[in-house]
Amino acid sequence: MNLSFQQELQSNLNVRLKWQSLSTSFPKWREGFLWKKGIPYRLPIKMLLLLEEKLGGKQLQKSKRNQKRVTQKNVERLKTYKGIIEGEIKNFCGDLLKLLDDSLLPNAQDEESKVFYLKMKGDYFRYLGELEAGESKAEIGEKAQAAYTEATDIASAKLPPTHPIRLGLALNYSVFYYEIIEDHVKAVEMAKKAFEDSIAGLDNVTDDSYKDTTLIMKMLRDNLTLWTSDQAEEAN
């Protein structure tokens, strides 16, 4: 009998915790495990959303040839497939959020672990928010923001600005502000502060975390470049 995702993750966590406490290598292990589980869901839905936007007419109206190729049957197939993928994402996120609340967060043994799990909680509420609109999106957004805010409060007090988990939290929280809340100014401010604070402490980063730290710093910088460019275009 195959284990469910929740049982599989819990089993792996139990085995790991028998042999060692939450070490510096454990966050990488658990993040990699969950990323491999979640990645098959989010990429297809993003592609389908782009395709749905095209089928909505804006881009296709520019080309009569393309319009003729888009049949009602194709549109219905797209909607059906999109519904299936959305259902799988919601089930996946729901299982993980339950596991976080019921087991992982109550048993977090240190601040690093708690920040990581709260960040993850915010992330998976954010993923759910990407599928919703209106009041439902706002409700989910409030839950994501509560988790991100609690994680940020702990990280700011207990983790250095160059810590990969603190930086990853700032990265994802700023994306939440940009994409879900659509507060672009706040997103830029948050990402810029995290980047500048980490630059100031870069000389003190250990060899073990240097690669992860600089990689996330690059992502923050890339987002800032993109977002400030978008703001400039909007201003013009």
Side-chain angles (χ1 to χ4, degrees):
M1 180 178 178
N2 293 329
L3 292 174
S4 69
F5 163 73
Q6 181 172 338
Q7 291 170 325
E8 183 181 352
L9 177 57
Q10 189 63 64
S11 175
N12 277 281
L13 286 170
N14 288 341
V15 170
R16 187 80 175 199
L17 290 172
K18 282 181 182 178
W19 290 98
Q20 64 181 61
S21 61
L22 294 175
S23 66
T24 55
S25 65
F26 189 45
K28 295 180 182 179
W29 171 83
R30 64 194 171 194
E31 187 165 19
F33 180 87
L34 292 167
W35 172 253
K36 289 177 183 177
K37 287 290 182 180
I39 193 66
Y41 295 103
R42 294 192 70 230
L43 292 183
I45 199 66
K46 287 181 178 294
M47 294 174 66
L48 287 170
L49 287 170
L50 288 173
L51 183 55
E52 185 177 46
E53 183 179 341
K54 289 184 179 181
L55 293 178
K58 287 185 178 179
Q59 295 187 32
L60 290 177
Q61 284 173 2
K62 298 177 182 178
S63 170
K64 291 183 179 180
R65 179 182 299 179
N66 282 340
Q67 275 187 311
K68 292 178 181 178
R69 291 176 181 173
V70 180
T71 64
Q72 185 61 32
K73 188 175 182 180
N74 289 336
V75 173
E76 291 303 320
R77 283 177 177 172
L78 172 64
K79 289 181 179 178
T80 299
Y81 184 55
K82 179 170 170 283
I84 292 171
I85 298 297
E86 284 183 347
E88 291 180 354
I89 291 176
K90 289 177 181 178
N91 288 337
F92 172 80
C93 291
D95 286 345
L96 184 52
L97 288 167
K98 186 176 188 304
L99 182 59
L100 284 163
D101 284 336
D102 293 350
S103 180
L104 301 182
L105 276 166
N107 292 302
Q109 297 180 6
D110 54 33
E111 287 81 5
E112 178 184 297
S113 301
K114 191 166 185 180
V115 170
F116 179 85
Y117 291 136
L118 285 167
K119 168 190 166 294
M120 187 184 296
K121 185 174 180 178
D123 288 342
Y124 281 89
F125 273 124
R126 173 164 60 89
Y127 301 156
L128 289 174
E130 291 173 349
L131 306 177
E132 303 293 343
E135 291 183 6
S136 180
K137 182 177 181 179
E139 269 181 41
I140 292 173
E142 288 176 2
K143 293 177 181 178
Q145 188 162 19
Y148 281 137
T149 299
E150 186 177 355
T152 299
D153 289 344
I154 299 171
S156 298
K158 301 295 184 179
L159 302 179
T162 53
H163 195 294
I165 292 178
R166 177 171 168 175
L167 279 172
L169 169 63
L171 174 70
N172 290 12
Y173 198 3
S174 62
V175 170
F176 166 78
Y177 265 103
Y178 198 88
E179 296 184 351
I180 304 299
I181 302 297
E182 297 183 6
D183 186 340
H184 296 176
V185 173
K186 178 69 173 178
V188 169
E189 288 177 354
M190 184 177 292
K192 185 177 180 180
K193 184 179 187 308
F195 182 78
E196 291 177 348
D197 288 349
S198 60
I199 284 285
L202 198 56
D203 290 341
N204 300 320
V205 176
T206 63
D207 292 340
D208 290 340
S209 63
Y210 186 83
K211 183 178 179 181
D212 291 336
T213 295
T214 52
L215 176 61
I216 301 172
M217 288 174 65
K218 181 181 182 302
M219 289 190 234
L220 283 165
R221 185 187 62 195
D222 290 345
N223 279 356
L224 283 168
T225 300
L226 176 63
W227 294 345
T228 52
S229 174
D230 287 346
Q231 285 182 333
E233 288 181 6
E234 289 172 3
N236 294 329

